[in-house]
Amino acid sequence: MTATAPPVGEPDRTQPRNTPASPAAARLLRFLPAAVAALCGVLLYVSFPPRTLWWLALPAFAGLGWALRGRGWKAGLGLGYLFGLGFLLPLLVWTGVEVGPGPWLALAAIEAVFVALVGAGVAVVSRLPGWPLWAAALWTAGEAARARVPFEGFPWGKIAFGQADGLFLPLAAVGGTPVLGFAVVLCGFGLHEAVRAAVRARRTGRIRRSAAAAALLSVAVPVLGALAARPLVSAEAEDGTATVAVIQGNVPRAGLDFNAQRRAVLDYHARETERLAAEVEAGKADRPDFVLWPENSSDIDPFANADARAVIDRAARAIGAPISVGGVVERDGKLLNEQILWDPAKGPVDTYDKRQIQPFGEYLPLRSLIGAINDEWTSMVSQDFSRGTEPGVFTMAGAEVGLVTCYEAAFDWAVRSEVTDGAQLISVPSNNATFDRSEMTYQQLAMSRVRAVEHSRTVTVPVTSGVSAIIMPDGRTTQKTGMFVADSLVQEVPLRSSQTPATRLGVAPEIVLVLVAAGGLGWAVAAGVRGRRAGGV
């Protein structure tokens, strides 16, 4: 009788199994895949900033591949969830710095559901020829879903954001974060398949050429693709240069009440700008063409408060250059997180309203339900911010500066829209004072480095409390500040207007990879149905 392959998605019981030496060994083997999945999730977390261990993502996905391959979808669901928790629980711990563990645990538990679904899908496609391709595409599809739902999505923890120091970074210029992340995951799953093929060949003395080729290609293609993409990465000026000043004024205190002392944050940023102006006059610093302040650098509305307006006017006249000021503004009954272009002679001349606002931070979804659970949470966000509708590109001393406010840097569309709208340089004004000295600020800084390569633009990161930085279009950080200090960065930076393939293609690579994932899943399900029918004849 000829043995038939087990249906796709069902455990493979056709392979010989070694009988455990004892019941204890049997229990250990039963729980080993779960332990491996959870530990590989932790390994993936360790690959993220502030550490520069980007390469640990490869063994993390290799281990996940070992845990998932050949299993049923239900087992894949559970193992994927454990992997997701191992990754996201430590990665997102900063979300509970000021509000306690409840929101942090809830967020990690919800986001891990997406990883669980990917795990189920990977288990299903793991019997297909070239399964690392389909599995990596499924991971990308999971990230695409996570970046959109619920509540407009939460892309934090995209694999691409852990690769700012890595070999694969140039692929961001090819197809953005989806292609960069796909390459890393493909290489990780391919690494598992390569080890598996080598062990099988050593044990049996035979090499399955198709499996070996698939493993080799899964590892080699991402690496060779990254090397081939290097010419797309450049820090050369195309439209001249600009001398930019990034101001970090610091805050009176860390935490949710960082701006509880009226006008203190604004005064700190004005004082640091005036200090820089004095250094310029003394010949100790280059004169900037324009100045960038962080998000919330004006802790009171300068349109409604004459004293705030006077402080900003004085700072702009002292430095003699336009300033992008971050403020919280109330206009027409709407609360807006706004960047204001402040001219030293004319005052406010342009604005940009943040479009991707943060759920539970800048607005509260399901307010009545959450209030019934804990009214303290509703008091933290007493009034919802409104969304802006238009890209923000300020013309500052002849340079086109695109504004991407803090949380927006995690969203592909928000950054790309500024570049396609003409930005020659990107600024990511942020306020991380709420999160104290957590890893959040380093995770966000890595996002900005990836965005620099993705769109081949200088990226400046002015932050109220640090870490502020200047990043070249090739992803190098040339200057940065410490945390919770007043400081300024001044540098001549390149202006660029050409568009990378990633900028031109936009969401297209992600759509293609989602379709590849759907095709692989459909093939696996159809193969499983045929297998079950054949087994029942």
Side-chain angles (χ1 to χ4, degrees):
M1 180 180 295
T2 302
T4 59
V8 173
E10 296 296 328
D12 187 353
R13 299 184 177 90
T14 65
Q15 300 300 319
R17 295 178 180 269
N18 295 325
T19 303
S22 67
R27 285 194 297 273
L28 179 63
L29 289 175
R30 189 163 62 248
F31 289 108
L32 184 59
V36 168
L39 289 174
C40 283
V42 175
L43 192 65
L44 181 60
Y45 155 71
V46 175
S47 76
F48 270 65
R51 296 157 295 276
T52 58
L53 303 174
W54 58 271
W55 52 271
L56 286 178
L58 303 182
F61 280 102
L64 179 63
W66 176 86
L68 292 175
R69 192 183 184 283
R71 298 190 180 275
W73 70 268
K74 291 180 182 178
L77 192 72
L79 293 170
Y81 195 70
L82 289 173
F83 182 83
L85 287 178
F87 172 47
L88 294 169
L89 276 171
L91 186 81
L92 302 179
V93 68
W94 52 267
T95 60
V97 166
E98 293 295 330
V99 295
W104 159 52
L105 295 173
L107 177 62
I110 292 169
E111 293 298 310
V113 171
F114 291 91
V115 184
L117 294 172
V118 170
V122 171
V124 170
V125 302
S126 66
R127 298 186 191 284
L128 295 178
W131 72 269
L133 170 68
W134 315 110
L138 277 165
W139 184 274
T140 303
E143 286 191 340
R146 202 159 63 83
R148 290 166 173 83
V149 293
F151 313 126
E152 304 294 325
F154 186 73
W156 219 276
K158 272 190 167 187
I159 299 304
F161 297 149
Q163 297 295 310
D165 292 291
L167 168 70
F168 300 99
L169 181 60
L171 289 171
V174 176
T177 61
V179 168
L180 173 53
F182 169 79
V184 174
V185 179
L186 176 61
C187 196
F189 284 143
L191 181 62
H192 160 69
E193 191 65 4
V195 172
R196 181 171 169 271
V199 170
R200 185 196 300 116
R202 184 174 180 179
R203 186 175 64 243
T204 65
R206 292 178 297 175
I207 297 177
R208 289 179 57 188
R209 292 183 181 179
S210 59
L216 180 62
L217 289 173
S218 297
V219 174
V221 169
V223 172
L224 294 175
L227 296 175
R230 283 189 174 183
L232 296 174
V233 180
S234 173
E236 296 298 319
E238 294 176 336
D239 305 313
T241 62
T243 301
V244 58
V246 170
I247 301 296
Q248 178 177 304
N250 205 8
V251 296
R253 60 180 68 87
L256 291 173
D257 62 344
F258 72 93
N259 62 350
Q261 183 178 334
R262 174 182 164 82
R263 224 187 71 185
V265 178
L266 172 57
D267 286 343
Y268 283 14
H269 285 81
R271 184 185 309 156
E272 181 61 26
T273 303
E274 290 166 359
R275 187 197 66 78
L276 175 61
E279 288 196 348
V280 170
E281 290 301 319
K284 297 179 181 179
D286 293 335
R287 182 174 297 278
D289 295 312
F290 51 88
V291 180
L292 302 170
W293 284 10
E295 177 189 31
N296 302 149
S297 47
S298 179
D299 49 358
I300 56 177
D301 185 349
F303 294 106
N305 295 272
D307 59 333
R309 182 176 185 126
V311 168
I312 301 171
D313 272 333
R314 186 172 65 247
R317 287 195 299 269
I319 197 68
I323 304 176
S324 178
V325 177
V328 176
V329 173
E330 191 164 356
R331 184 181 297 116
D332 301 326
K334 296 179 178 180
L335 192 63
L336 301 166
N337 187 336
E338 190 165 82
Q339 288 291 309
I340 308 162
L341 176 54
W342 208 283
D343 185 87
K346 301 175 183 178
V349 294
D350 200 357
T351 60
Y352 166 65
D353 299 323
K354 187 177 182 180
R355 294 170 292 164
Q356 188 70 43
I357 57 177
Q358 182 181 353
F360 305 100
E362 293 171 306
Y363 79 100
L364 198 62
L366 310 174
R367 181 176 289 273
S368 59
L369 176 61
I370 291 172
I373 298 171
N374 189 332
D375 59 2
E376 290 185 5
W377 293 347
T378 59
S379 65
M380 291 178 187
V381 188
S382 57
Q383 181 181 353
D384 291 342
F385 280 79
S386 296
R387 301 175 185 275
T389 57
E390 300 294 331
V393 179
F394 288 168
T395 301
M396 304 182 75
E400 300 298 314
V401 181
L403 284 304
V404 180
T405 305
C406 196
Y407 184 59
E408 292 183 318
F411 292 83
D412 295 348
W413 68 268
V415 184
R416 178 177 179 268
S417 66
E418 310 301 73
V419 179
T420 57
D421 206 47
Q424 299 168 303
L425 175 150
I426 298 170
S427 181
V428 185
S430 303
N431 172 30
N432 297 342
T434 302
F435 305 108
D436 204 356
R437 297 180 182 273
S438 70
E439 293 183 355
M440 178 270 185
T441 194
Y442 300 101
Q443 294 169 8
Q444 188 179 56
L445 185 61
M447 291 180 194
S448 296
R449 293 180 60 195
V450 173
R451 299 304 185 191
V453 173
E454 180 179 14
H455 299 292
S456 195
R457 295 292 186 273
T458 298
V459 177
T460 61
V461 187
V463 185
T464 49
S465 55
V467 173
S468 300
I470 296 176
I471 303 165
M472 292 292 98
D474 58 8
R476 289 179 298 118
T477 301
T478 52
Q479 292 192 63
K480 63 180 180 180
T481 68
M483 295 187 74
F484 293 98
V485 294
D487 204 352
S488 58
L489 306 174
V490 181
Q491 185 173 324
E492 184 180 16
V493 299
L495 300 176
R496 294 176 62 87
S497 57
S498 64
Q499 294 188 0
T500 63
T503 307
R504 292 193 296 270
L505 291 171
V507 74
E510 186 176 57
I511 292 174
V512 169
L513 290 170
V514 170
L515 291 175
V516 169
L521 200 57
W523 180 14
V525 170
V529 170
R530 288 194 300 270
R532 282 191 292 272
R533 287 175 178 172
V537 172

